[in-house]
């Protein structure tokens, strides 16, 4: 899966209220956890640019 499709899938899951396990998602998509972090940062930047009220939070204890 390419980066754009992966980011759109993540964004869709977040809008549905899903929690996404960083390790599982990274393994499933054949990416590093650092790539996952960059994808999340891209989504955060997009939300900031459009002044959206939404927020993406990471729970270290659950890795989601």
């Amino acid at each position: 899966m390419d980066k754009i499709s992966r980011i759109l899938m993540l964004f869709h899951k977040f809008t549905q209220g899903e929690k996404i396990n960083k390790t599982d998602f990274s393994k499933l998509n054949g990416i590093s956890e650092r790539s996952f972090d960059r994808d999340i940062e891209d989504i955060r930047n997009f939300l900031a640019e459009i002044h959206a009220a939404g927020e993406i939070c990471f729970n270290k204890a659950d890795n989601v």
Side-chain angles (χ1 to χ4, degrees), residues 9-59:
M9 183 174 57
L10 278 171
F11 185 75
H12 176 73
K13 288 178 180 278
F14 289 140
T15 61
Q16 300 300 311
E18 291 184 42
K19 292 182 179 179
I20 301 167
N21 183 283
K22 180 180 184 176
T23 303
D24 293 343
F25 185 86
S26 298
K27 286 180 182 177
L28 181 67
N29 288 281
I31 61 170
S32 68
E33 290 189 12
R34 180 65 186 122
S35 290
F36 178 89
D37 292 341
R38 285 190 290 265
D39 291 352
I40 298 301
E41 188 62 26
D42 287 341
I43 295 171
R44 284 184 174 134
N45 290 337
F46 170 74
L47 292 173
E49 284 179 24
I50 63 168
H51 306 289
E55 182 180 17
I56 298 173
C57 300
F58 183 69
N59 179 329

